[in-house]
Amino acid sequence: MTNLPSEPQAETLAVAPSFFAEARRTFHAALLGRVLFSNERGIPANADSGNKASVAIAKGIVGRLGTEIQGERLAGQMSGREFEDIVCSYLAETFSQLAHLRPGLWSVQQITTRNQAVLARFEQYSHLVALAKAAARDPELAAALGNDYTIAPDIVIIRGLESDARINSQRHLVDESVSRHASLRERNDGLPILHASISCKWTMRSDRAQNARSEALNLIRNRKGRLPHVVVVTGEPTPSRLSALALGTGDIDCVYHFALPELVSAVEELDNDDTSEQLKIMIEGKRLKDISDLPLDLAV
């Protein structure tokens, strides 16, 4: 009997992880090494130790991310700064890969000072310095304004201005007679453009969540020109606290979680229908996304 040739075996090709997948892993490794510690009782640093659900979900996330690192919980301000620094590095690494989708002269910067002069460096908010000076001279104006004009993002993405040579590189598009007030044109002596304002909240207690919303509303009210992207990145594990900021529209573009798939799995393991439904509403309503979604959303 003649043996029939066997069917060729399909070769199993190892598919290399995508750049964003690797960047996400690096991001989580930095968090685990610098801020996402677990204490001697095994409670992760982003958990509310007095809230059983918060502790259970935070443990579930850490367990899915990799080896937990035991250590002391950092002071609130210190952990916040570390989180900002790690998010900034992640965005600088990932957003820079999208030049083919969003050409431009981009920079990602962490902001460490808290005054209106920060935003006054950008075209849309350059008038805030004059406003502050006027308020300093006029007590009645200062009382009317309060501190609403004082906004300081944690991280910014900036678009630099374009030279005429670059604008005209493909075709002669502009000359002395046109586009003399366009913000993007360098020769019009404007300031760099604020493309995105990113607020980082390592955790979100109810009062702190509203701070991010106030900052967003101030960015909206005080701008002249195009509104920048206004987003929040958080490590908060509890869906009820996330919903305090994520639900609703009109101020923040979206809330981005540092480990959304891991959060979903941890909540499912908790076996609480109300909590699962709350999380589902935020995700399906496009109010809560993963950190890996953020660079591409910022390219819009």
Side-chain angles (χ1 to χ4, degrees), residues 104-176:
L105 304 173
W106 303 101
S107 63
V108 180
Q109 297 179 11
Q110 184 179 358
I111 303 299
T112 56
T113 185
R114 293 288 180 263
N115 59 60
Q116 70 271 14
V118 171
L119 282 185
R121 292 160 38 196
F122 307 118
E123 184 66 22
Q124 305 101 302
Y125 300 96
S126 58
H127 59 286
L128 292 184
V129 166
L131 191 62
K133 288 179 179 177
R137 292 192 301 267
D138 188 336
E140 289 187 16
L141 179 60
L145 291 173
N147 290 319
D148 281 351
Y149 57 86
T150 305
I151 315 152
D154 296 321
I155 299 169
V156 293
I157 297 181
I158 306 161
R159 181 164 191 177
L161 306 187
E162 301 284 2
S163 66
D164 279 12
R166 186 174 167 90
I167 294 170
N168 291 328
S169 62
Q170 303 298 313
R171 186 175 181 179
H172 190 212
L173 298 175
V174 296
D175 59 26
E176 292 286 352

Side-chain angles (χ1 to χ4, degrees), residues 3-9:
N3 291 327
L4 296 175
S6 59
E7 290 291 325
Q9 294 291 320

Side-chain angles (χ1 to χ4, degrees), residues 6-296:
S6 59
E7 290 291 325
Q9 294 291 320
E11 292 185 10
T12 304
L13 298 177
V15 179
S18 68
F19 182 88
F20 276 20
E22 287 293 340
R24 189 177 188 271
R25 275 191 279 273
T26 301
F27 171 72
H28 288 147
L31 285 174
L32 288 166
R34 293 167 57 186
V35 67
L36 189 51
F37 303 118
S38 294
N39 66 16
E40 66 283 354
R41 292 185 292 156
I43 299 175
N46 60 334
D48 179 351
S49 59
N51 184 316
K52 289 183 179 179
S54 175
V55 172
I57 295 168
K59 283 184 175 181
I61 292 171
V62 169
R64 287 164 174 80
L65 289 179
T67 305
E68 69 179 60
I69 297 175
Q70 205 165 19
E72 292 296 323
R73 181 190 292 262
L74 298 177
Q77 190 73 13
M78 190 181 298
S79 60
R81 288 287 186 215
E82 287 289 322
F83 185 53
E84 290 169 22
D85 185 59
I86 294 166
V87 171
C88 187
S89 296
Y90 170 80
L91 286 174
E93 182 181 18
T94 53
F95 190 72
S96 64
Q97 302 301 310
L98 301 175
H100 60 298
L101 301 178
R102 199 66 153 87
L105 304 173
W106 303 101
S107 63
V108 180
Q109 297 179 11
Q110 184 179 358
I111 303 299
T112 56
T113 185
R114 293 288 180 263
N115 59 60
Q116 70 271 14
V118 171
L119 282 185
R121 292 160 38 196
F122 307 118
E123 184 66 22
Q124 305 101 302
Y125 300 96
S126 58
H127 59 286
L128 292 184
V129 166
L131 191 62
K133 288 179 179 177
R137 292 192 301 267
D138 188 336
E140 289 187 16
L141 179 60
L145 291 173
N147 290 319
D148 281 351
Y149 57 86
T150 305
I151 315 152
D154 296 321
I155 299 169
V156 293
I157 297 181
I158 306 161
R159 181 164 191 177
L161 306 187
E162 301 284 2
S163 66
D164 279 12
R166 186 174 167 90
I167 294 170
N168 291 328
S169 62
Q170 303 298 313
R171 186 175 181 179
H172 190 212
L173 298 175
V174 296
D175 59 26
E176 292 286 352
S177 66
V178 295
S179 306
R180 296 176 66 180
H181 302 286
S183 299
L184 188 60
R185 195 177 181 188
E186 186 179 54
R187 73 175 303 147
N188 290 338
D189 295 325
L191 294 173
I193 297 165
L194 181 61
H195 177 72
S197 169
I198 298 140
S199 178
C200 296
K201 302 293 182 187
W202 176 225
T203 58
M204 289 195 302
R205 305 303 174 248
S206 57
D207 56 333
R208 295 176 64 192
Q210 299 313 311
N211 289 345
R213 179 163 275 132
S214 297
E215 290 168 10
L217 289 171
N218 286 339
L219 281 166
I220 294 167
R221 285 195 297 258
N222 288 291
R223 81 190 190 281
K224 287 185 178 180
R226 181 188 179 281
L227 179 67
H229 289 278
V230 182
V231 306
V232 175
V233 179
T234 185
E236 173 61 49
T238 314
S240 60
R241 287 176 176 158
L242 288 168
S243 68
L245 186 58
L247 293 182
T249 57
D251 40 32
I252 293 162
D253 296 1
C254 189
V255 175
Y256 293 83
H257 197 268
F258 85 114
L260 185 58
E262 293 81 4
L263 170 65
V264 171
S265 295
V267 168
E268 288 174 351
E269 191 174 62
L270 197 64
D271 197 24
N272 184 311
D273 290 342
D274 290 341
T275 303
S276 295
E277 182 63 22
Q278 197 170 38
L279 189 57
K280 181 181 177 183
I281 288 169
M282 287 185 281
I283 295 170
E284 292 187 354
K286 299 180 181 179
R287 303 301 298 147
L288 183 65
K289 298 184 181 183
D290 183 61
I291 187 70
S292 61
D293 296 310
L294 181 55
L296 284 165

